Structures are given as structure tokens and as C-alpha cells.
Amino acid sequence: ARFDHFCIWINRPIGAGNHMLFLSFCAIQWFALVFACISLSSILASRSAFSRPLILLHAPASGLALHLLFALLVLFSLTLLLLYQARNVLVNLTTNETLNLQRYPHFWREGP
């Protein structure tokens, strides 16, 4: 089987047998994070946290703001991961092959 990478988040190797499940898992997480960011933003906006900056010093609003910041950071990272994996699927390469391209002589040949 083709080995893609070892995922530290699910503690499993990702390869040909479970790559689509991994991409589905990442996509579901992406949608959950988008929903969380929208929800946190609307809660903070309803508290007028952004119109009065001093309210961010209060525990509930600052906690929500920190959660939103963390969710946005993870969402950005997950977006990059999904784009990278989609690129690899389109060019029919694994992460392992992409990172070790110089090690594989069959990628150096030109033509069929």
C-alpha cells in the first residue's frame, strides 16, 4: 500500500487504504471550526465586545475571544493541510513522495 504520512492527531499512518477517510475527517473538522468561528463571533458581537475594548478584560468575553483566536488559528492550519492534500491528490503523489522526491529515481525519468 502507498504510505502518505503518519498523522499525530489520530495516531495512525495514512495511506491508500484510509486516505479518503482522513480527508473526510479533516473536512468535517474544517466545517465544525467554521461553525465555531461564526458562533463565537456572533456571541462576541452581541455582547458589543468589539465596540468597547475594555469589555475584553472581563473573564467571559476574553475567554470567548481567546477561543475564537485559537479556532481561527487551527482553521487556518487545517485549510493549508486540506489544500496541500488536495494538491497531492490532483497530481497523484503522496506526502512521502513529495517530501522525498529526490530519493526516488523513477520521478527523474522523462517520458513513459
Side-chain angles (χ1 to χ4, degrees):
R2 288 178 67 183
F3 172 73
D4 190 74
H5 68 280
F6 186 85
C7 181
I8 60 171
W9 299 108
I10 60 175
N11 198 30
R12 296 274 183 261
I14 306 300
N18 62 355
H19 196 250
M20 288 308 293
L21 286 173
F22 173 73
L23 291 177
S24 300
F25 171 75
C26 289
I28 290 169
Q29 294 301 312
W30 188 87
F31 283 112
L33 280 168
V34 167
F35 177 75
C37 289
I38 291 170
S39 298
L40 287 168
S41 297
S42 67
I43 291 170
L44 281 171
S46 70
R47 291 182 177 201
S48 301
F50 295 116
S51 63
R52 292 181 294 157
L54 292 178
I55 202 168
L56 288 175
L57 298 175
H58 295 109
S62 63
L64 288 174
L66 286 174
H67 275 83
L68 177 60
L69 183 64
F70 180 74
L72 287 169
L73 179 68
V74 174
L75 180 64
F76 177 73
S77 302
L78 189 57
T79 301
L80 293 179
L81 174 68
L82 281 171
L83 289 173
Y84 179 74
Q85 290 292 320
R87 177 209 160 266
N88 283 351
V89 168
L90 289 174
V91 296
N92 197 26
L93 287 175
T94 64
T95 302
N96 184 37
E97 291 168 338
T98 304
L99 295 176
N100 297 307
L101 199 58
Q102 298 303 319
R103 290 184 178 178
Y104 298 114
H106 60 277
F107 287 124
W108 301 346
R109 289 191 303 248
E110 292 185 28

